[in-house]
Amino acid sequence: MTPHTFLCIDAHTCGNPVRVVAGGGPILPHASMADRRQIFLRDHDWVREALMFEPRGHDVMSGSILYPPFREDCELGILFIETSGCLPMCGHGTIGTVTVALEEGLVTPREEGRLALEVPAGRVDVTFQRSGRFVDEVRIYNIASYLHAADVSVTVPGLGELVVDVSYGGNFYAIVEPQKNFAGLSSMSAAELVRWSPIVREVVEAAVRPVHPEDNRIRGVSHVMWVDDAPRNTEATARNAVFYGEKAIDRSPCGTGSSARMAQRVAKGRLSVGDRFVHESIIGTMFDCRVEAAATVAGRPAIMPSIGGWARVFGQNRITVDPRDPLWRGFQLV
């Protein structure tokens, strides 16, 4: 291996990082983004580790790599990378990536105000609003989301019984609502959420082992969402803290998580098609979400959700990964 340079544009979506690789990403064959994801994981995962892990990244680092789309009805292909892996879909990552691509002139929309994206989970349509060269808001029309398993009882060593729902919004989420052994987000510090989440994820995965019924490459509980209905902002409907990776808490309200939570609430009769759902993050930033339509996933009731949010570009980064560096592939302190 020779030194390899990546041209990155750094941004954040409502507080959570998005490092967009605009140049230097691995060359992948002309194939669907779902197939490219598998090839990337097999042959090029060192790129993710080098750019997301320390010393070039950190425990909460998240990003994307831009590609020409395989689908003719899309204008941009996106591969999502973060400390937890190469995801099928990432909501905050989409909002940040679209903002970067538009503001830096990396994509030209066929129609002003609209873009069609190809991501590993499928086609995702977005609308955007901008003032001059700056993007004010991006709204994602996410893939079909559904409640996969309801009222799953698990025993968490040291914490006790939890009853959780497993819901899909582009990734599988274990959703923990207030109950006997979880009094709500105000009852747990961020450090406690980081402590308990990997254990919860492990026991829920063992109990459910979710697999997407239309794509068996999408499987496994990857995120834990701790929620309550007592937001701090009067504009918000509910509050959440999403855990991913080994010790990361999403600083944004989480786009695929918001989709999964809306699907859960619709399935349980707490939201309806057309309803607005404003989701607040652990730091108080918000996504303006809607249940756009009813849908089905392999015969299961599902919804078509949308998520509106903002991102800000804050820097450009030329990162060289040099094999002479003993830590070229990055590291994590777990």
Side-chain angles (χ1 to χ4, degrees):
M1 177 180 167
T2 58
H4 193 99
T5 298
F6 300 90
L7 303 179
C8 304
I9 301 166
D10 284 334
H12 73 88
T13 300
C14 291
N16 216 52
V18 184
R19 172 170 285 169
V20 180
V21 180
I27 297 173
L28 299 177
H30 187 57
S32 70
M33 291 308 299
D35 289 339
R36 286 173 176 168
R37 174 175 175 257
Q38 297 301 315
I39 296 167
F40 180 89
L41 286 167
R42 184 190 69 203
D43 300 333
H44 305 286
D45 201 41
W46 69 267
V47 173
R48 178 186 67 84
E49 294 174 340
L51 295 179
M52 299 291 103
F53 292 169
E54 295 184 64
R56 301 162 201 88
H58 50 72
D59 288 334
V60 193
M61 182 57 80
S62 181
S64 63
I65 307 176
L66 303 182
Y67 285 98
F70 177 73
R71 294 176 56 133
E72 294 183 358
D73 60 349
C74 294
E75 291 136 289
L76 187 65
I78 304 175
L79 198 65
F80 298 108
I81 53 175
E82 64 174 42
T83 52
S84 68
C86 182
L87 301 180
M89 174 57 186
C90 180
H92 97 276
T94 300
I95 292 170
T97 300
V98 167
T99 300
V100 166
L102 289 168
E103 291 189 358
E104 300 297 321
L106 302 176
V107 65
T108 301
R110 294 169 182 163
E111 177 186 349
E112 178 60 24
R114 295 181 178 275
L115 276 175
L117 311 174
E118 183 184 359
V119 304
R123 172 177 163 147
V124 173
D125 292 313
V126 303
T127 58
F128 59 88
Q129 300 174 11
R130 55 180 166 182
S131 303
R133 64 173 293 265
F134 296 109
V135 176
D136 297 323
E137 184 191 67
V138 174
R139 178 167 291 275
I140 309 164
Y141 295 84
N142 199 13
I143 47 86
S145 304
Y146 72 99
L147 178 61
H148 184 87
D151 303 320
V152 178
S153 177
V154 295
T155 300
V156 180
L159 188 60
E161 182 190 22
L162 288 178
V163 178
V164 307
D165 296 324
V166 176
S167 194
Y168 177 80
N171 303 290
F172 284 108
Y173 287 78
I175 301 177
V176 187
E177 297 187 298
Q179 54 193 278
K180 177 182 176 182
N181 291 317
F182 171 58
L185 285 173
S186 297
S187 70
M188 278 194 184
S189 66
E192 288 174 310
L193 294 173
V194 169
R195 174 191 173 193
W196 290 116
S197 293
I199 306 171
V200 171
R201 181 171 59 190
E202 182 179 355
V203 297
V204 174
E205 168 64 19
V208 180
R209 301 196 185 281
V211 179
H212 195 285
E214 295 179 343
D215 187 347
N216 63 15
R217 294 170 296 188
I218 300 174
R219 59 177 60 229
V221 177
S222 54
H223 296 63
V224 178
M225 181 188 295
W226 304 83
V227 307
D228 64 40
D229 291 330
R232 295 176 175 174
N233 194 307
T234 56
E235 296 179 32
T237 309
R239 186 169 174 238
N240 83 96
V242 167
F243 175 88
Y244 64 95
E246 297 304 318
K247 51 182 176 179
I249 295 179
D250 199 329
R251 274 63 170 159
S252 84
C254 188
T256 58
S258 295
S259 300
R261 192 171 184 196
M262 283 191 286
Q264 174 223 22
R265 290 169 76 98
V266 168
K268 293 198 163 189
R270 290 150 60 187
L271 274 180
S272 301
V273 172
D275 284 352
R276 184 182 183 215
F277 178 73
V278 180
H279 219 185
E280 183 182 82
S281 74
I282 194 171
I283 66 169
T285 53
M286 292 180 288
F287 282 165
D288 186 4
C289 311
R290 287 196 303 265
V291 183
E292 297 288 346
T296 58
V297 173
R300 298 171 182 248
I303 64 164
M304 302 302 297
S306 75
I307 304 97
W310 55 266
R312 296 293 182 267
V313 179
F314 59 81
Q316 296 188 351
N317 214 343
R318 184 183 179 95
I319 298 176
T320 298
V321 178
D322 189 336
R324 296 176 304 155
D325 181 352
L327 303 177
W328 70 270
R329 194 156 182 158
F331 65 89
Q332 285 185 297
L333 290 179
V334 179

